[in-house]
Amino acid sequence: IGCIYANYSDPPAPGTELGENVVLRFCPPVMYPWTKEKVKYFKDTWSGWAATGARLMMRPNFTLDGHSFPLAYYRHYAECYDFIRANGLVAVDMDSLNGVYGANGLTMFVIASKNSSPDRALKDLENDYFSAFGSAAGAMRECSEDFVRASNAGFMLEGKDDTIEGGRYTEFMLSAYRVFPPELIEKAIARLEAAKSAARDETVVRRLEFVLAGLVEARLMLKAQRGFAKYQRTGD
């Protein structure tokens, strides 16, 4: 057993045979931001290793990404998962889940559901997740779409000296405002607070409170980042 990792992620030359007695843990250098090019690289790299005949398990690092923010990469993940499951996947080891379920519940839900119910379509999984919020399903869906758009576009605002390429998972909070500006988080909090006030089901209220706790943490992280940036500029 070995690990496909870091500087030895690229597959061997075509025609290389390893065989099914070799089990390799696939950990490609794919981190946020997710792009079409990275999804293609993910698939091509997997295919190159699968062609050796080795058995492959997925053991990614990208679940480290996002810090305390609603980083919504679940659609890219689902596409990659469906591909590798159809091309030799034998096991999954999801490393480094960071526990940000309040802010990033849908991404975590899709990761878990793809492993437990792999034949279910992504749209069905989305509907399952949102339906758990009853009367607030629409508000949750609107917030989610905002987070998807931000996650897919925000990294393009990065500066030359402050790249987010590679996820920067240990320092993401210092650049998170580029992806999730404060006004986006405030908009989501206001929308869900209104949905909570209108909800009549106590279970829905508790679930909204859980999500709101995650978003409030993101709000506080943004405030901490602004304070640190001010300190760097002024010493105050």
Side-chain angles (χ1 to χ4, degrees):
I1 187 165
C3 194
I4 298 165
Y5 189 71
N7 61 323
Y8 44 101
S9 295
D10 290 343
T16 302
E17 295 184 9
L18 297 177
E20 65 178 12
N21 288 333
V22 175
V23 179
L24 297 177
R25 303 166 74 227
F26 183 67
C27 185
V30 174
M31 304 284 283
Y32 181 78
W34 286 79
T35 61
K36 292 181 180 179
E37 292 75 19
K38 286 187 180 180
V39 170
K40 182 179 185 303
Y41 171 80
F42 186 104
K43 294 178 180 179
D44 289 347
T45 304
W46 178 278
S47 296
W49 285 103
T52 69
R55 288 183 289 170
L56 301 181
M57 62 183 293
M58 181 171 65
R59 207 293 291 171
N61 273 336
F62 51 72
T63 46
L64 282 166
D65 287 341
H67 219 105
S68 294
F69 295 89
L71 198 64
Y73 56 85
Y74 69 91
R75 291 173 181 169
H76 298 295
Y77 169 81
E79 179 181 348
C80 289
Y81 184 91
D82 289 346
F83 176 84
I84 64 177
R85 182 170 178 266
N87 289 277
L89 175 69
V90 298
V92 172
D93 175 10
M94 298 304 298
D95 183 71
S96 306
L97 289 173
N98 57 19
V100 190
Y101 302 110
N104 215 0
L106 180 54
T107 294
M108 298 297 100
F109 178 77
V110 169
I111 288 174
S113 297
K114 274 294 177 182
N115 287 314
S116 62
S117 306
D119 292 323
R120 299 203 64 204
L122 177 60
K123 185 60 66 177
D124 291 338
L125 296 180
E126 289 178 316
N127 290 338
D128 278 357
Y129 181 80
F130 294 126
S131 69
F133 292 89
S135 61
M140 284 292 297
R141 192 181 291 273
E142 290 169 357
C143 289
S144 176
E145 286 303 318
D146 283 347
F147 295 148
V148 167
R149 283 191 291 270
S151 299
N152 288 341
F155 70 90
M156 292 188 292
L157 304 175
E158 62 190 274
K160 293 181 180 179
D161 298 326
D162 190 20
T163 179
I164 305 176
E165 176 62 40
R168 286 188 63 202
Y169 62 88
T170 62
E171 301 175 339
F172 185 77
M173 66 155 292
L174 298 178
S175 299
Y177 68 93
R178 298 175 180 273
V179 184
F180 302 104
E183 56 269 23
L184 177 65
I185 300 299
E186 295 302 328
K187 176 183 176 184
I189 290 175
R191 178 180 281 150
L192 296 184
E193 287 284 9
K196 175 187 165 186
S197 296
R200 297 295 177 263
D201 184 328
E202 185 59 29
T203 298
V204 170
V205 170
R206 289 199 305 270
R207 289 174 178 171
L208 287 171
E209 287 175 344
F210 184 75
V211 174
L212 282 163
L215 295 179
V216 167
E217 182 177 350
R219 169 201 276 167
L220 293 171
M221 296 294 284
L222 290 172
K223 291 181 70 174
Q225 183 278 329
R226 290 198 298 275
F228 180 62
K230 179 181 177 184
Y231 167 74
Q232 288 182 307
R233 291 193 310 271
T234 67
D236 182 0

